[in-house]
Amino acid sequence: MNIKIDVKNLDFFYGDFKALNNINIEIEENKVTAFIGPSGCGKSTFIRTMNRMNDLIDGTKHVGEIIYEGKNIYSSEVDVVELRTKVGMVFQKPNPFPKSIYENIVFGPKRNGIKKKAELDRIVETSLKDAALWEEVKDRLDSSAWSLSGGQQQRLCIARALAMKPDVLLMDEPTSALDPVATSKIEELIGELKDKYTIVIVTHSMQQAGRISDNTAFFLMGKLIEYGETSKIFSNPEDKRTEDYITGRFG
Amino acid sequence: MSNVKKRKLIDKGFHILVFLTTLFGLLILSILLFDILKDGLKWINIEFFTNFTSRFAEKAGIRAPLFGSIWIITITMIFAFPIGVGSALYLEEYSDDKKILTKIIKLNISNLAGVPSIVFGILGLGIFVNFLGFGRSILSGALTLTLLILPIIIVSSQEAIKSVPKELRHGAYALGATKWQVVKGVVLPYSLPGILTGSILAIARALGETAPLIIIGAVTFIAFIPESIFDKFTTLPMQVYNWSTMPQTEFHDLAAGAIIILLILLLGANAVAIILRNKYQNRIK
């Protein structure tokens, strides 16, 4: 079992508020790891530390280490721009750029130095195919991404992230703004993607975590309560609080 | 309910009231336009454009002020647009909002938009005409007008930049874009329609100004077309001002003619900006 990301004693603060408290977790390669927990438990904050998106919020600070490829991503050896090309992210609300479908996909690759039209075309096709969107949009790559439905937009955002050929894909409640049909498509997609990528997903829905993840981490009030194989967490949790949450007694 | 009738009546009354207020503005504008067209249209012919101004009304034309206005507005936009948008980008994207200096700058730029234009004229006279030695030239005039409209462009650009959704910026950052790439790839394209709207207002303002140009010494009697930014100049509003102070009524009608051309120029400039804006807006949809 290869460890992709190793988090050691991570605390995270918004100003004086301690949002994460001593998190230790090992994310396994080519697995789907789900973060579950009630609102405000820190699961979204945590996933956003892994590609340092929290840097964009004023007044945040951290203590501890996140080791990726042998280096602490917060150390000066790691360039945050480069990190984000390897650790991609899909957001809660679909956020395609106000550009054509084609331009959305090539946004990242173009800015990272790929100029050749033929290569960009190839990236667009493979990314859209990987995101199971190709068949629906191949005839209208030049139309605006905003003309797509919500579910299609989210798959476009996944394709956009895949176009960077990332190593890890972070997904922050990717289906919370989608209808059940679109949700099941994305879940199916996640199952296919884990052969190539390491996926971390934050989800509000325990059923979703149960359906798609290999490992599950349960968070409560900024603490990691329990982490293990999904089947074990759901059938035989060790901690009373995990059990209460999973059986729907709170949250 | 017994008061439904009364509430509906008030509803209707308010509808009529706001309609009347709109009508008031439209009415005044129509009267004004009608009056100007009545006086001015008969003077507009080929000679009106090809002749310079003259002591004789029938020989007077707007050649010099027309070219002067076009020169001034072009040079003004060349300075004001990049400086204004650049400042707005810095203030919104790069500066640290928590610093007191940033707060003071932001507050004062809004205040500058309310400073009377004649004050900018005095500043322009002191700095551009005398200190920097540009003289009473197009360059001095354009730089003075640049100072005048910069606050308008900066404030409206700031608003447009602020309206870019956080999600789009984050989406771009998450793809490994640098700050400049996010600004160029997402922030600017998204906010350009709003920036152009502000610039339309600014162009209109600069095109119609007289007071600061009088202060820096634009002359009204000019019998040549400016050929460089260091030439003397006059503008359409200056010519209108000059003609309307003449005792003969023919000159007042000539002024009306010049106003018509000024309005057309203004509408033309606005049309260009609106076309550009719509082009980018459509791209967004």
Side-chain angles (χ1 to χ4, degrees):
Chain A
M1 217 67 82
N2 277 334
I3 305 303
K4 197 81 217 174
I5 299 176
D6 188 1
V7 180
K8 289 179 181 165
N9 307 320
L10 184 76
D11 292 346
F12 193 86
F13 300 85
Y14 293 110
D16 293 329
F17 174 71
K18 195 169 190 177
L20 294 176
N21 198 338
N22 197 29
I23 307 287
N24 285 282
I25 194 169
E26 293 172 339
I27 307 288
E28 289 177 43
E29 189 170 14
N30 293 93
K31 289 277 167 69
V32 177
T33 304
F35 295 169
I36 60 169
S39 296
C41 67
K43 58 192 190 298
S44 274
T45 299
F46 181 45
I47 199 171
R48 293 166 72 92
T49 58
M50 293 190 193
N51 65 343
R52 290 180 56 183
M53 286 304 282
N54 287 328
D55 289 15
L56 301 173
I57 303 168
D58 282 338
T60 57
K61 65 173 189 285
H62 76 282
V63 179
E65 290 183 327
I66 299 179
I67 309 291
Y68 168 69
E69 290 188 332
K71 289 174 193 156
N72 178 11
I73 63 167
Y74 279 99
S75 74
S76 57
E77 287 171 76
V78 176
D79 184 80
V80 63
V81 169
E82 209 184 318
L83 171 75
R84 289 181 189 144
T85 65
K86 291 186 198 146
V87 182
M89 185 164 219
V90 175
F91 296 80
Q92 195 167 350
K93 246 174 62 186
N95 59 349
F97 302 129
K99 298 170 186 285
S100 68
I101 293 168
Y102 185 94
E103 284 298 324
N104 262 277
I105 305 289
V106 301
F107 187 92
K110 251 188 184 174
R111 274 152 190 81
N112 280 278
I114 297 173
K115 294 251 157 56
K116 283 198 199 112
K117 178 87 170 73
E119 193 172 357
L120 290 171
D121 286 350
R122 201 180 46 74
I123 289 174
V124 168
E125 187 173 340
T126 50
S127 309
L128 284 170
K129 276 181 176 159
D130 283 352
L133 191 60
W134 176 250
E135 288 304 321
E136 289 158 66
V137 301
K138 64 180 175 189
D139 298 323
R140 49 174 180 142
L141 293 175
D142 285 330
S143 52
S144 168
W146 287 15
S147 66
L148 298 174
S149 72
Q152 288 174 325
Q153 286 190 8
Q154 194 62 304
R155 275 178 285 149
L156 178 67
C157 292
I158 294 172
R160 186 174 70 184
L162 298 182
M164 293 300 296
K165 301 198 176 66
D167 191 23
V168 180
L169 192 58
L170 308 174
M171 304 176 115
D172 187 2
E173 297 192 34
T175 61
S176 67
L178 304 180
D179 64 66
V181 177
T183 299
S184 70
K185 275 194 180 160
I186 300 233
E187 287 184 4
E188 209 176 298
L189 179 59
I190 291 170
E192 290 163 17
L193 289 175
K194 72 170 177 183
D195 296 338
K196 290 192 204 165
Y197 308 96
T198 302
I199 294 175
V200 182
I201 180 169
V202 165
T203 176
H204 228 75
S205 141
M206 283 174 288
Q207 291 82 353
Q208 184 170 62
R211 280 194 299 267
I212 61 173
S213 70
D214 302 300
N215 295 321
T216 297
F218 172 61
F219 289 81
L220 189 64
M221 295 173 77
K223 285 184 187 143
L224 175 60
I225 304 297
E226 192 166 349
Y227 176 50
E229 280 179 31
T230 301
S231 52
K232 176 161 185 308
I233 296 271
F234 276 83
S235 60
N236 188 19
E238 276 170 19
D239 197 290
K240 177 84 172 66
R241 290 165 294 183
T242 315
E243 191 183 342
D244 286 350
Y245 182 72
I246 283 166
T247 51
R249 233 161 276 169
F250 74 95
Chain B
M1 283 305 201
S2 58
N3 70 347
V4 167
K5 232 179 192 161
K6 192 178 148 205
R7 284 191 290 147
K8 280 198 158 172
L9 203 68
I10 294 173
D11 202 37
K12 195 145 213 171
F14 195 75
H15 185 147
I16 294 169
L17 186 74
V18 289
F19 175 71
L20 284 177
T21 53
T22 313
L23 203 65
F24 177 78
L26 280 178
L27 197 71
I28 300 287
L29 191 67
S30 325
I31 293 172
L32 217 71
L33 270 179
F34 175 76
D35 195 46
I36 287 167
L37 289 175
K38 185 175 65 105
D39 292 342
L41 266 184
K42 58 178 180 285
W43 287 92
I44 297 178
N45 51 31
I46 302 288
E47 278 101 76
F48 189 63
F49 293 99
T50 54
N51 284 2
F52 292 106
T53 186
S54 159
R55 285 184 294 129
F56 309 104
E58 54 275 16
K59 280 193 195 160
I62 54 160
R63 192 165 176 190
L66 180 61
F67 277 88
S69 273
I70 293 171
W71 268 91
I72 282 279
I73 203 65
T74 311
I75 306 291
T76 303
M77 284 321 284
I78 287 173
F79 284 116
F81 191 72
I83 296 177
V85 177
S87 312
L89 274 178
Y90 175 76
L91 289 173
E92 288 306 317
E93 296 289 319
Y94 292 88
S95 68
D96 182 358
D97 263 344
K98 281 194 293 279
K99 280 195 183 139
I100 291 183
L101 186 68
T102 315
K103 283 183 189 159
I104 292 175
I105 290 174
K106 281 190 176 179
L107 181 70
N108 279 293
I109 285 175
S110 312
N111 285 342
L112 273 182
V115 170
S117 58
I118 200 156
V119 176
F120 285 100
I122 294 169
L123 186 70
L125 179 68
I127 296 178
F128 304 125
V129 179
N130 294 329
F131 181 69
L132 292 175
F134 296 150
R136 302 175 186 289
S137 62
I138 289 177
L139 185 60
S140 296
L143 286 171
T144 307
L145 290 181
T146 299
L147 293 184
L148 178 73
I149 65 170
L150 261 182
I152 306 175
I153 296 186
I154 294 174
V155 171
S156 59
S157 301
Q158 276 180 287
E159 290 305 318
I161 290 165
K162 259 188 237 168
S163 74
V164 178
K166 197 181 72 206
E167 290 82 18
L168 290 186
R169 294 166 201 265
H170 287 188
Y173 278 120
L175 290 168
T178 60
K179 186 153 206 166
W180 165 238
Q181 288 173 330
V182 174
V183 166
K184 185 165 161 274
V186 176
V187 174
L188 275 181
Y190 190 93
S191 56
L192 203 59
I195 291 174
L196 287 173
T197 307
S199 304
I200 294 173
L201 287 174
I203 293 176
R205 175 93 194 264
L207 208 49
E209 273 302 332
T210 46
L213 297 181
I214 292 174
I215 295 280
I216 68 154
V219 265
T220 48
F221 201 97
I222 281 195
F224 61 88
I225 293 173
E227 277 169 354
S228 85
I229 53 171
F230 297 106
D231 282 346
K232 285 194 169 69
F233 70 100
T234 186
T235 64
L236 281 168
M238 296 277 304
Q239 190 67 64
V240 169
Y241 169 73
N242 176 254
W243 278 342
S244 56
T245 55
M246 301 280 230
Q248 302 95 319
T249 49
E250 289 89 351
F251 278 107
H252 299 171
D253 293 352
L254 269 177
I259 289 172
I260 295 171
I261 305 304
L262 181 62
L263 284 176
I264 291 172
L265 198 61
L266 198 62
L267 289 176
N270 286 1
V272 172
I274 289 169
I275 289 166
L276 278 174
R277 187 181 71 189
N278 290 348
K279 193 180 139 201
Y280 282 98
Q281 240 161 9
N282 290 341
R283 209 187 274 183
I284 283 177
K285 279 171 205 149

